[in-house]
Amino acid sequence: PLRRMTTEVGFYQLSRWPLERALPRLLERAAAQGLRCVVRFASAERLAQINAYLWTYDADSFLAHGGPEDGHTSEQPVYLTCVEENPNAATVLLLAEGAEAGDRDAYDRCLDLFNGADAHALAAARARWKTLKEAGYPLAYWAQTDDGRWEKRVDAINNCFRGKDKD
């Protein structure tokens, strides 16, 4: 029998905006709800790029965040990393561009952000979807609208994650 997992996993297909533009909006929304986040990257180089970008992405906004080199890790509302750690007691994990998550069960929600225009990234996301579905995780697929908002899409799951099991 399937063990019912409690961490809700959302697959967010970046199709209209790149990660640099979409991630700050997701993090602002989480911050507005009082949620702490960990954003995990597959490489230290990408972490450094996004860390620098988050300080300057919008002259009218401030998104408090930090990484391992910034100190005060337990106080960061948004913590950027490339390893499995949760020093700020976050309840939301965002996985960027194929980052791994063996610790997803330590979070209430997990957002898997992937580039839908990249065939390799899409195939990898499909494989993660299948594995998590078989493990009993509650899954959702989110598509970007033209203005960059996110829309939960049931009909698009088969189109994006089409495979042998068709769901």
Side-chain angles (χ1 to χ4, degrees):
L2 278 180
R3 182 176 148 232
R4 182 74 176 155
M5 307 310 260
T6 58
T7 301
E8 177 187 323
V9 181
F11 282 79
Y12 287 70
Q13 182 175 358
L14 300 168
S15 57
R16 307 277 188 234
W17 291 0
L19 180 68
E20 290 83 354
R21 196 162 168 207
L23 182 62
R25 288 185 78 173
L26 288 168
L27 294 173
E28 287 171 348
R29 188 168 179 190
Q33 296 173 30
L35 301 173
R36 289 179 169 259
C37 299
V38 165
V39 183
R40 187 170 303 149
F41 298 89
S43 73
E45 294 78 22
R46 194 66 169 129
L47 183 154
Q49 290 171 349
I50 298 295
N51 190 11
Y53 178 76
L54 288 176
W55 291 116
T56 61
Y57 76 95
D58 184 348
D60 296 326
S61 293
F62 174 73
L63 182 62
H65 69 281
E69 292 82 27
D70 298 318
H72 307 286
T73 57
S74 65
E75 299 169 25
Q76 300 292 350
V78 174
Y79 184 75
L80 311 177
T81 185
C82 348
V83 297
E84 290 186 1
E85 61 180 331
N86 186 359
N88 63 341
T91 57
V92 180
L93 172 64
L94 292 89
L95 301 172
E97 303 169 333
E100 296 294 323
D103 61 342
R104 93 176 29 81
D105 293 342
Y107 299 87
D108 294 337
R109 292 193 64 207
C110 177
L111 286 62
D112 188 319
L113 310 170
F114 66 97
N115 181 349
D118 179 310
H120 177 73
L122 185 56
R126 286 177 177 150
R128 290 190 300 274
W129 175 279
K130 184 177 183 201
T131 299
L132 294 173
K133 182 180 179 191
E134 290 171 355
Y137 283 91
L139 304 177
Y141 169 78
W142 294 83
Q144 270 183 314
T145 61
D146 288 338
D147 63 356
R149 289 179 299 112
W150 293 98
E151 191 173 83
K152 196 174 197 177
R153 301 280 303 270
V154 175
D155 61 324
I157 292 173
N158 289 334
N159 295 332
C160 178
F161 292 113
R162 122 180 74 222
K164 291 180 183 161
D165 60 356
K166 296 281 187 207
D167 55 7

